[in-house]
Amino acid sequence: MTSTVARPLSIVVLISGSGSNLQAIIDAIGTGLPAKICRVISNNPQAYGLSRAREAGIPTDIVDQHDYADRESFDQALMNCIEQDRPALLVLAGFMRILTHNFVRHYNEHMINIHPSLLPHYQGLNTHQRVLDAGDTVHGVSVHFVSPELDSGPVILQAEIPVQTDDSAESLANRIHTQEHIIYPLVIRWFAEGRLHLHENSVILDDKEIKLLKYDPATHE
Ligand code: GRF
């Protein structure tokens, strides 16, 4: 009798900071997410996420932009580092560096990012404070395929949180993180199971085009 065992999705994770999303992915793999993190790469040698990766026995590398003359040579070095593993998916998890168009084109359809806002609103930094300043009553987080423009690209899944009158940027960030740690592993699972892909700039999930899908704990496992 022969049995076929599906190989786990090979991923490389890029980080710059704490790496709590990386940790959520590591934990999800520990409980059955069919993926393997081949390598974690940081542009910041001090990123705490590097310790999380080492703790989990994942190879790490640092590609520091200060060691490169320009954006192109940095991105080339980053690409060389990533290509040691030829991952099926590149996961940006708090990677605070704008990537060149060539880099993004190279990983087209195979690179996702998580951004703490309901895209297309609040691209860029300081999203929590900007939501408070605008008096919004709803905030959220988006997982999206990466396109050359900053924090844009087809959105795969969003999770919303209500903004409360006593919220601060910090309290919003904490509640957003909780949602991030649910939806990022979920989207990676869909990709690993072959249910999710990009087709002519449209997000296809289970053979249907989706637009601004909202996370629903009752229906999304
Ligand atoms: C997250 O809020 C993510 O949305 C943004 O950067 C932050 C990274 O947090 N892109 P962490 O390093 O995963 O804790």
Side-chain angles (χ1 to χ4, degrees):
M1 195 176 80
T2 55
S3 65
T4 41
V5 178
R7 278 205 315 194
L9 181 79
S10 60
I11 63 181
V12 166
V13 183
L14 305 189
I15 61 165
S16 299
S18 156
S20 69
N21 281 284
L22 166 67
Q23 188 67 56
I25 299 164
I26 292 171
D27 293 347
I29 290 170
T31 56
L33 171 65
K36 174 178 188 241
I37 304 176
C38 306
R39 188 175 302 273
V40 171
I41 306 172
S42 176
N43 64 325
N44 169 14
Q46 309 303 330
Y48 179 63
L50 289 168
S51 305
R52 296 182 192 267
R54 289 182 196 121
E55 183 70 23
I58 299 166
T60 60
D61 269 306
I62 295 161
V63 183
D64 185 342
Q65 63 269 17
H66 299 107
D67 297 335
Y68 299 90
D70 51 34
R71 233 171 241 293
E72 284 70 26
S73 52
F74 169 76
D75 277 14
Q76 187 57 58
L78 188 58
M79 206 184 283
N80 293 346
C81 191
I82 294 164
E83 287 309 312
Q84 296 175 89
D85 302 294
R86 303 178 64 82
L89 184 67
L90 187 55
V91 174
L92 309 187
F95 186 66
M96 303 300 285
R97 184 86 190 149
I98 296 172
L99 297 160
T100 56
H101 287 203
N102 276 345
F103 184 97
V104 174
R105 262 195 295 275
H106 183 82
Y107 291 104
N108 183 30
E109 301 180 13
H110 299 277
M111 175 161 52
I112 58 175
N113 183 41
I114 188 157
H115 180 76
S117 79
L118 294 172
L119 292 173
H121 305 293
Y122 304 112
Q123 300 169 355
L125 297 174
N126 301 322
T127 58
H128 312 305
Q129 190 57 51
R130 287 158 65 202
V131 161
L132 289 173
D133 292 347
D136 292 358
T137 54
V138 178
H139 184 28
V141 54
S142 308
V143 176
H144 63 96
F145 283 104
V146 178
S147 65
E149 294 72 36
L150 179 67
D151 297 328
S152 57
V155 172
I156 302 164
L157 182 63
Q158 298 187 323
E160 292 183 345
I161 60 164
V163 180
Q164 288 149 7
T165 46
D166 58 349
D167 261 323
S168 61
E170 198 187 353
S171 66
L172 284 179
N174 288 337
R175 296 214 306 289
I176 287 289
H177 262 117
T178 303
Q179 296 302 310
E180 292 186 339
H181 301 160
I182 297 168
I183 71 169
Y184 219 6
L186 178 62
V187 167
I188 293 169
R189 174 182 295 282
W190 290 344
F191 201 92
E193 291 173 345
R195 296 166 56 192
L196 171 72
H197 63 275
L198 194 63
H199 177 69
E200 293 174 356
N201 230 34
S202 298
V203 178
I204 310 294
L205 178 65
D206 294 333
D207 298 323
K208 287 191 215 73
E209 182 177 349
I210 53 166
K211 290 202 166 105
L212 291 188
L213 183 64
K214 303 284 186 208
Y215 172 64
D216 176 358
T219 56
H220 293 130
E221 18 113 37

